Every structure is written in C-alpha cells, then in structure tokens.
Amino acid sequence: MKCVLITGATGNVGLEVVRALHRRGDVKIRAAVRDVAQSATAFHDLPNVQLVPFDFGDAASQTAALAGCDSLFLLRPPQLTDTFGDLINRAKQAGVGHIVFLSVQGAEHSRFIPHHKTEKLLKACGVPYTLLRPAYFMQNFTTTLRADLVQRRRIFLPAGRARFALIDVRDVGRVAAVVLAEPGPRHQGQAYTLTARHRLNFQQMADQLSQGLGTKITYESPSPWRFFWTEKREGVAPGFILVLLLLHYLPRFSAAPPLTQTVQEITGQLPIEFPQFVADNRAQLLGLASPP
Ligand SMILES: NC(=O)c1ccc[n+]([C@@H]2O[C@H](COP(=O)([O-])OP(=O)(O)OC[C@H]3O[C@@H](n4cnc5c(N)ncnc54)[C@H](OP(=O)(O)O)[C@@H]3O)[C@@H](O)[C@H]2O)c1
C-alpha cells in the first residue's frame, strides 16, 4: 500500500487531508507532528493514522519521517519563512515519488510571497509534483477572525468592497486526498486553483453570517492606518498585522480572483459554499463551542 506523509497534520488543512485519506482507506497515512503525545487527541477518531515526529527546523526528524514514503503533502506553516529547498532535497534523496504542495491562489503571479519560491524549487527539483492553490479559507472565520466575530459580532478588515474567491478547507482536503492517492501521472506537473463557485465581498459574508447565525454581524472596513493601530493596541504582532493588510487591503486594487471548477472535476462533488460552512460551524462562530 502506498505511504503518504502529511505535514501540518494538526492544522486546518492537514487534518482535513488526513481525514479524507482515512475515509478512502487505500493508503498508509503518516501524520507528521511536532509532538506525538500532545497531538494524539486530534487523531482519536482516526485509528489508521501513524503519528511520526517531524519538525521543519530539524533535519533528522525529516529524514526519519520521509523514509519509506511514496508521497509527501507539503504545507508551509504561516509562521515559518523557510521555502523548503533542503526538505525537498531530502524528500528526493529518500525516494519520494510525488510532492503535493499547498500553495495559495495567485502564487504564480506574486513573486514576493514565499510560496512562489517553493513552487519554483519544486518545478526544478526533478521529483513529480502537484501544486494546490486554494482561495481564501472560509475557516479564517473559525480561526484568525473568530475572536472579533464572537466578542463584537463584527468583521473588522480593510477590504472595502473587494470580492474574494473562497474555499472550505474540507474541499482542499478532499482534492489533496485524490491527488495523493490516485496512481498514475494524471496529476503530476499540474497546478490546481481551488475555489467555491461564488465570489463574495465581506459585506456579503457578514449578511450570510447574520442570516445563518440568527444574529446581526456588521462589517467595518477601516483605513489601513486605523486597522494597523487598532490591531496593535489589541496586542496583535506587527508582522501578522502586515500579513492581514496584504491579504485584505491589496485585493481592492486588483481584478477579482478567478473561480474554477477544479474541486468538482477532481472529487466529483460540488464545493461547499459559504452558507453551508456557516451552518456547519454555527456553534464555533457564535462562541458556544471552542475550536477543536
Ligand atoms: N488562510 C487562508 O486563507 C489561506 C488561503 C490559501 C492558502 N493558505 C496557506 O495555507 C497554509 C496554512 O495552512 P493551515 O491553515 O492548515 O495552517 P495551520 O492551521 O496554522 O497549521 C499549521 C500546521 O503546521 C504545523 N507546524 C507549525 N510549525 C511547525 C514546525 N516547526 N514543524 C512542524 N510542523 C509545524 C502545526 O503544528 P502544531 O500543531 O505543532 O502547531 C500545524 O499542524 C499557509 O501556507 C497559507 O499560506 C492559507
């Protein structure tokens, strides 16, 4: 049976990749985690997953985790600046035959984001690869944007009326599972942009959240300066505020991102739309349940 190593396995996307592969049942799943004992609870309902120690900063852990693996799901944790040249070489030396990289929509045009460099390294490394370029995660509302939503019933982002292509990370997991598990070269050398079928601006997202949650959610779009100082006063790290600005302010000045049908083409299922995401995560979005 094919063996797949999943990095970032405890995170939003990685855990959904593990779950989707587990449902298929046709590959050996190795979840790469920083702390095997602490991570065990995240996988309590996934009995066929082997947890292996892995740190992006520790070459020895990478070599051990990669030994005997056929495929690698490579994810760049948001807090790291590495572009993974050494890890890609280690995977090559270990005989990994396919690397699936979680990039970001538009990475091919944005030379300043680290994903762009990793994509280039993969194209040059000689190991068959597939690039997944997902749109804006709906799950940002259950992670980075959740506190404002729960405590103030508001979205506070300098995004104006810019429209965003969205994706539920469960769909990213489903696509990744197909690409990792299917035999043959069909997905090799491909770059897949993953989106749901509708673009929304944040006012429309606030309206759909209000409807789905049964409580008014407001949307306020501050100037970049006001956004920066408000977040800084609330203790958010300046580097992270700049990332939020980049993600939400710059799209006001570029064309709306394209939509694709790739999720349906690869999985055979329509992608999850925003109202469904809201319904499925209602308790978390209202602050009635903690994030897992
Ligand atoms: N947010 C969006 O809208 C969006 C859209 C498109 C693409 N993306 C891309 O998606 C990626 C983030 O995915 P995500 O949301 O799933 O991330 P996440 O939830 O923050 O998960 C990060 C994962 O990386 C692990 N990790 C962190 N540091 C590590 C280290 N030193 N060694 C080993 N593992 C480490 C974490 O493990 P621990 O449990 O040990 O912390 C966790 O499993 C980024 O590359 C981002 O650019 C994001």
Side-chain angles (χ1 to χ4, degrees):
M1 207 187 255
K2 194 175 186 181
C3 175
V4 180
L5 182 70
I6 313 294
T7 61
T10 55
N12 290 314
V13 176
L15 195 52
E16 293 303 334
V17 177
V18 171
R19 285 192 179 126
L21 284 170
H22 197 268
R23 282 194 296 272
R24 290 178 63 102
D26 56 355
V27 297
K28 241 169 88 180
I29 307 166
R30 218 179 257 184
V33 297
R34 279 197 277 193
D35 186 319
V36 170
Q38 272 191 15
S39 305
T41 47
F43 301 91
H44 72 277
D45 56 344
L46 301 164
N48 300 326
V49 175
Q50 181 197 8
L51 303 191
V52 292
F54 178 99
D55 197 304
F56 282 106
D58 174 5
S61 74
Q62 296 168 14
T63 304
L66 285 163
C69 275
D70 302 289
S71 303
L72 167 67
F73 178 77
L74 177 59
L75 177 145
R76 184 183 161 274
Q79 63 273 34
L80 297 192
T81 49
D82 190 0
T83 46
F84 303 138
D86 291 342
L87 173 56
I88 292 168
N89 281 333
R90 261 172 227 123
K92 188 175 180 176
Q93 278 159 17
V96 168
H98 187 199
I99 301 178
V100 177
F101 175 56
L102 184 82
S103 186
V104 57
Q105 183 172 25
E108 68 277 31
H109 307 301
S110 308
R111 270 182 295 156
F112 58 91
I113 61 169
H115 306 72
H116 181 87
K117 182 140 187 238
T118 304
E119 288 196 359
K120 282 179 103 171
L121 289 170
L122 278 169
K123 286 177 185 170
C125 77
V127 179
Y129 65 87
T130 307
L131 308 175
L132 303 183
R133 296 180 180 145
Y136 190 91
F137 293 168
M138 296 179 195
Q139 276 72 10
N140 290 334
F141 284 99
T142 48
T143 52
T144 42
L145 306 179
R146 180 173 178 268
D148 231 13
L149 205 60
V150 168
Q151 289 160 17
R152 302 194 177 97
R153 297 282 189 259
R154 75 165 186 187
I155 303 170
F156 183 73
L157 289 171
R161 290 167 178 271
R163 290 187 305 153
F164 287 69
L166 302 172
I167 187 81
D168 188 303
V169 297
R170 291 172 290 180
D171 281 325
V172 182
R174 278 191 267 268
V175 169
V178 172
V179 170
L180 285 161
E182 267 188 10
R186 180 181 159 208
H187 303 293
Q188 295 177 4
Q190 302 294 322
Y192 295 133
T193 296
L194 306 176
T195 73
R197 286 173 301 151
H198 304 282
R199 287 184 208 92
L200 297 176
N201 63 36
F202 277 95
Q203 183 59 59
Q204 292 168 317
M205 290 182 233
D207 293 343
Q208 294 189 10
L209 280 160
S210 302
Q211 191 164 2
L213 301 179
T215 183
K216 178 76 182 159
I217 304 294
T218 58
Y219 168 50
E220 190 179 345
S221 177
S223 71
W225 311 115
R226 189 168 151 242
F227 180 74
F228 184 89
W229 289 112
T230 307
E231 296 295 299
K232 190 154 186 297
R233 254 198 324 273
E234 291 182 4
V236 181
F240 188 61
I241 305 175
L242 291 177
V243 171
L244 290 173
L245 273 170
L246 200 76
L247 281 175
H248 298 97
Y249 185 64
L250 291 190
R252 294 166 69 156
F253 307 101
S254 36
L259 299 176
T260 71
Q261 292 172 5
T262 312
V263 171
Q264 188 178 8
E265 284 162 5
I266 292 181
T267 67
Q269 290 174 26
L270 287 172
I272 296 165
E273 297 297 334
F274 194 64
Q276 186 64 51
F277 160 79
V278 175
D280 293 345
N281 293 279
R282 193 168 183 278
Q284 267 194 61
L285 295 166
L286 283 168
L288 304 174
S290 319

